[in-house]
Amino acid sequence: MAIEWRANQPRWVQIATVIKQRIDQGLYAVDEQVPSEHQIVQEFGVARGTARKVLVRLREEGVVYAVRGLGNFVTNQATDDQR
């Protein structure tokens, strides 16, 4: 999914959707690390604050969990939702 700069959805919502789709497709397995803020900035060309919003959104939805100093990882719930 490409990020549409003039879309009705904010960029951070679009990027969160892309990461959730990657989890659904099995690109990120349970307990596997998802892209960091820096990696999101690099891949999608967005500001760090936008990347932070993506990760906060994914944590709020229970898709990922944070480990201080290590990053964000896929939860069991994320893969359970696929079934």
Side-chain angles (χ1 to χ4, degrees):
M1 173 182 176
I3 302 305
E4 297 182 29
W5 296 107
R6 296 178 189 234
N8 292 332
Q9 287 185 320
R11 292 177 204 147
W12 61 271
V13 172
Q14 294 180 61
I15 296 168
T17 301
V18 168
I19 293 173
K20 286 189 285 188
Q21 288 173 344
R22 290 176 181 175
I23 292 168
D24 291 344
Q25 295 167 353
L27 296 175
Y28 304 120
V30 173
D31 295 327
E32 186 174 337
Q33 190 171 12
V34 296
S36 66
E37 282 182 18
H38 178 73
Q39 290 168 324
I40 292 170
V41 167
Q42 294 298 312
E43 179 177 352
F44 296 100
V46 295
R48 187 171 176 199
T50 302
R52 186 175 298 118
K53 277 184 154 182
V54 170
L55 295 171
V56 167
R57 168 78 170 239
L58 293 172
R59 285 193 301 268
E60 288 174 347
E61 292 180 358
V63 176
V64 301
Y65 63 93
V67 177
R68 188 175 182 156
L70 293 178
N72 293 278
F73 300 82
V74 178
T75 64
N76 285 332
Q77 178 182 341
T79 56
D80 290 345
D81 290 345
Q82 294 175 24
R83 297 177 189 141

